[in-house]
Amino acid sequence: MSVISSVRDFLDETGQISRFAGRFFSHGLKPKFEIKELLAQCYVIGYKSFPLVGLTGFIMGLVLTMQLRPSLVTYGVQSELPVMVGIAIVREIGPIITALIFAGKIASSIGAELGSMKVTEQIDSMEVSGTNPFKYLVATRVIATSLMLPLLTLLADAIALFGAYIGVNIKSVTNIKFFFIQVFESLSYSDIIPAVIKTVFFGFAVGIIGCYKGFNSTKGTQGVGRSANSAVVLSSVLIFVLDLLTVQLTNLLGFN
Amino acid sequence: METKPKTNEENEPAKSESVIVMKNLYKAFGDNQILEDFSLSVQREESVVVLGKSGAGKSVLIKCIIGLLTPDKGSIEVLGKEVTGLDEDGLAEARKKIGFLFQANAIYDSMTVRENLEFPLRRHWTDLDEPKVLKMVEEALENVGLAHTMDMMPAELSGGMLKRVALARTLILKPEIILYDEPTTGLDPITSKEIDQLILTLQKKLKTSSIVISHDMSCVKTIADRVVILLDGKCYADGTYEELESSEDPKINQFFQSLLV
Ligand SMILES: Nc1ncnc2c1ncn2[C@@H]1O[C@H](COP(=O)(O)OP(=O)(O)OP(=O)(O)O)[C@@H](O)[C@H]1O
Ligand SMILES: [Mg+2]
């Protein structure tokens, strides 16, 4: 019985989120645009996330290299270390780790911010002041997350590769120029472009889920906390689902 | 289309004209019937106080007037124009003339006091220049005695100060109609009295019509030209403060008991 009802709740919520996302395309993208608020959100969402994303990117590249080395040494192919690490970072680890860190930081803050605005009637107050809250709050944030995550991912990739260079240098000596030439020669556009495009979808998911949870927050501190929390959980899961879908799609399109 | 906020002095209309006419309103949330055949009209420059128990649907009622909620049935005319079923632009146009004081203040906590006051101004009147906006913000804050808080964040202000900032933000557009949702609830008696006086003074100065929701009987006594009681979704009683106070009906009387203690 409870299985049926939880399946129904799940489908119900999926439908509501789809409708919310649909509203973004049907209403949110129409003029007049809230350019000023969009730029402010890009600053908060993108620029302010950079130190965190950079740090995790660096550690990720470094640790990945240190972990991969012993196996490669076993097979006697440690000279391929930069190639292995480069492909792993650019194609998968960079986008997914950055997206998850981003979800943890941004989905929760959007969920909590809009949630508390909702329960203290600030959103209604905006509407009374001649402002469409969906355009002003939701559209700006969703566009900002969709634009900023790809940029952050590229930056994180670059920093992770630098971390990998340091990782390689722990046990052997490589010239930085030689390292990057080796990495980039093994990478093609079909490695980079699909990986960047999928982060647009990841960013969109983070923005939409954060805003949806905030807009549907229930009253009280607990309600707001729950929106923030479930925004992170749901957007993280959705990032993995989208990752699975995009890898299938790029396979079908013959990018691999 | 108008481009500047107007005060009512510019074209003084007849005094007995109705500015809000609500007819046979119905509103339910699921099985919870809140408004059931509610009718009320408000004359120009009149202050009507709505009394009712907690959860009676007073906030729902005034949210219907400003279009935050849509009634299931019935009509609401504001300044001669039907507001139910208006589209976004139509509603924005109507809302320029209606001020709304939220029960929970609804001050934007990520903005300074000044930005809070500027928000409705810039949103409704996109062609105001910088000095004019500043002047209107200063004037509105002076009206509520909070000129010194202009660059503070809402978190730095007390509850009563926030209420007054909210009031200033409501009044800055110089609306013809103001809907107050519990302007004095949760304040100490002295601040309450100050706010009552403020509402009265501004009401006279700006010649507004208003609907005031209040549980505070001394506030009601000060402000009300007319009192209505919202009971079981209907307009149960309608009269002056004195008329209702001396009523024999226990359902009416209970609202006035608190004063006798
Ligand atoms: N958006 C909503 N969705 C569902 N139910 C609602 C909604 N808004 C109000 N209600 C219900 O409508 C009823 C009336 O609410 P309302 O806020 O109008 O009460 P009120 O008369 O203003 O009370 P109070 O004096 O406590 O503010 C309540 O039972 C409330 O649960
Ligand atoms: Mg209320």
Side-chain angles (χ1 to χ4, degrees):
Chain A
M1 218 40 216
S2 75
V3 175
I4 293 175
S5 79
S6 58
V7 168
R8 200 179 47 207
D9 286 352
F10 172 76
L11 292 177
D12 194 34
E13 178 143 43
T14 311
Q16 278 179 20
I17 293 172
S18 312
R19 218 170 310 135
F20 195 78
R23 211 169 133 204
F24 170 78
F25 290 108
S26 63
H27 288 73
L29 294 179
K30 281 203 194 126
K32 60 192 212 254
F33 298 110
E34 306 281 357
I35 302 291
K36 222 174 124 192
E37 178 68 9
L38 174 63
L39 292 178
Q41 287 306 322
C42 285
Y43 174 77
V44 173
I45 289 171
Y47 184 76
K48 293 254 172 128
S49 303
F50 178 64
L52 182 65
V53 164
L55 178 68
T56 48
F58 178 78
I59 296 176
M60 172 178 80
L62 183 65
V63 171
L64 190 66
T65 314
M66 289 160 69
Q67 296 275 36
L68 272 175
R69 177 192 290 275
S71 315
L72 295 191
V73 168
T74 313
Y75 296 104
V77 286
Q78 63 266 44
S79 62
E80 295 301 308
L81 191 52
V83 175
M84 285 284 295
V85 175
I87 289 186
I89 286 173
V90 170
R91 287 184 69 133
E92 186 58 32
I93 316 247
I96 201 95
I97 298 282
T98 311
L100 289 177
I101 295 281
F102 188 76
K105 183 173 186 319
I106 302 298
S108 61
S109 78
I110 292 179
E113 185 190 10
L114 297 196
S116 75
M117 288 185 78
K118 166 82 185 178
V119 302
T120 56
E121 298 184 317
Q122 291 176 49
I123 293 181
D124 284 343
S125 169
M126 285 195 164
E127 199 174 336
V128 169
S129 295
T131 300
N132 181 330
F134 196 86
K135 274 188 201 158
Y136 188 84
L137 298 172
V138 177
T140 53
R141 279 166 178 74
V142 174
I143 294 172
T145 54
S146 310
L147 291 178
M148 289 300 116
L149 184 55
L151 288 180
L152 286 170
T153 305
L154 286 175
L155 287 166
D157 284 355
I159 294 173
L161 287 176
F162 181 71
Y165 165 73
I166 291 180
V168 169
N169 267 289
I170 291 176
K171 289 260 168 81
S172 59
V173 180
T174 327
N175 177 294
I176 188 159
K177 196 169 150 199
F178 184 69
F179 173 85
F180 276 101
I181 287 175
Q182 211 184 343
V183 168
F184 283 114
E185 272 184 349
S186 67
L187 287 173
S188 65
Y189 284 116
S190 66
D191 293 315
I192 298 171
I193 292 173
V196 171
I197 292 176
K198 74 179 175 188
T199 58
V200 177
F201 293 104
F202 296 169
F204 181 79
V206 169
I208 281 286
I209 301 289
C211 291
Y212 169 80
K213 287 292 177 183
F215 258 52
N216 291 286
S217 184
T218 47
K219 288 230 153 126
T221 339
Q222 216 187 5
V224 174
R226 210 180 301 127
S227 323
N229 181 257
S230 57
V232 177
V233 174
L234 193 57
S235 57
S236 305
V237 173
L238 199 56
I239 284 169
F240 280 109
V241 174
L242 287 171
D243 196 34
L244 182 65
L245 292 178
T246 47
V247 79
Q248 300 290 350
L249 194 68
T250 44
N251 274 337
L252 277 179
L253 294 175
F255 276 118
N256 284 332
Chain B
M1 227 187 359
E2 303 168 289
T3 50
K4 279 225 173 76
K6 259 191 200 164
T7 51
N8 302 336
E9 292 138 49
E10 283 169 38
N11 40 10
E12 188 104 350
K15 238 191 154 175
S16 63
E17 178 198 354
S18 294
V19 290
I20 303 177
V21 183
M22 288 176 269
K23 279 198 201 118
N24 314 104
L25 287 186
Y26 286 79
K27 178 74 189 173
F29 294 106
D31 294 334
N32 191 2
Q33 189 74 42
I34 310 293
L35 298 177
E36 206 173 353
D37 202 17
F38 183 92
S39 302
L40 172 68
S41 61
V42 179
Q43 311 300 313
R44 194 168 278 279
E45 289 182 40
E46 185 184 34
S47 298
V48 176
V49 171
V50 178
L51 292 178
K53 280 196 205 133
S54 186
K58 307 179 296 295
S59 299
V60 169
L61 176 70
I62 60 171
K63 280 182 184 168
C64 286
I65 300 175
I66 195 129
L68 283 174
L69 293 171
T70 321
D72 301 332
K73 246 192 327 188
S75 82
I76 304 174
E77 263 182 33
V78 176
L79 299 165
K81 230 168 128 190
E82 181 66 38
V83 292
T84 53
L86 275 183
D87 64 357
E88 198 189 320
D89 294 337
L91 270 178
E93 201 54 41
R95 285 168 178 162
K96 286 181 185 177
K97 302 185 190 107
I98 312 176
F100 194 104
L101 181 72
F102 283 88
Q103 188 164 358
N105 296 336
I107 294 291
Y108 309 122
D109 43 24
S110 59
M111 303 182 195
T112 63
V113 169
R114 178 182 179 163
E115 288 164 337
N116 262 284
L117 294 186
E118 283 177 354
F119 193 86
L121 264 185
R122 291 193 193 279
R123 291 273 146 184
H124 276 311
W125 314 104
T126 44
D127 55 355
L128 288 177
D129 57 359
E130 206 57 42
K132 173 95 184 160
V133 169
L134 181 62
K135 203 171 145 261
M136 289 175 85
V137 170
E138 278 171 345
E139 188 189 308
L141 279 177
E142 262 159 36
N143 272 337
V144 297
L146 285 177
H148 61 287
T149 64
M150 183 127 108
D151 293 309
M152 289 190 182
M153 293 304 285
E156 300 170 62
L157 304 181
S158 74
M161 289 161 107
L162 283 176
K163 197 113 225 173
R164 284 189 281 165
V165 172
L167 201 54
R169 189 178 65 180
T170 307
L171 296 166
I172 198 166
L173 291 169
K174 304 206 166 62
E176 292 177 45
I177 298 170
I178 304 182
L179 311 172
Y180 297 94
D181 200 342
E182 307 198 5
T184 59
T185 303
L187 299 180
D188 66 274
I190 301 166
T191 315
S192 299
K193 218 160 252 158
E194 278 171 21
I195 293 216
D196 295 344
Q197 286 307 323
L198 193 67
I199 291 175
L200 266 184
T201 320
L202 293 171
Q203 200 110 278
K204 287 210 188 85
K205 209 160 131 189
L206 303 174
K207 297 196 165 44
T208 48
S209 326
S210 56
I211 295 182
V212 184
I213 292 170
S214 187
H215 293 294
D216 175 354
M217 294 315 284
S218 69
C219 160
V220 177
K221 198 170 177 177
T222 320
I223 295 176
D225 294 322
R226 194 147 64 89
V227 179
V228 302
I229 292 177
L230 172 59
L231 190 72
D232 300 330
K234 290 184 187 58
C235 184
Y236 183 79
D238 182 343
T240 63
Y241 182 89
E242 288 72 23
E243 279 166 19
L244 295 196
E245 191 186 25
S246 56
S247 158
E248 299 291 313
D249 188 334
K251 281 182 178 165
I252 296 174
N253 220 270
Q254 62 185 352
F255 288 101
F256 295 84
Q257 305 263 288
S258 57
L259 257 198
L260 305 176
V261 210

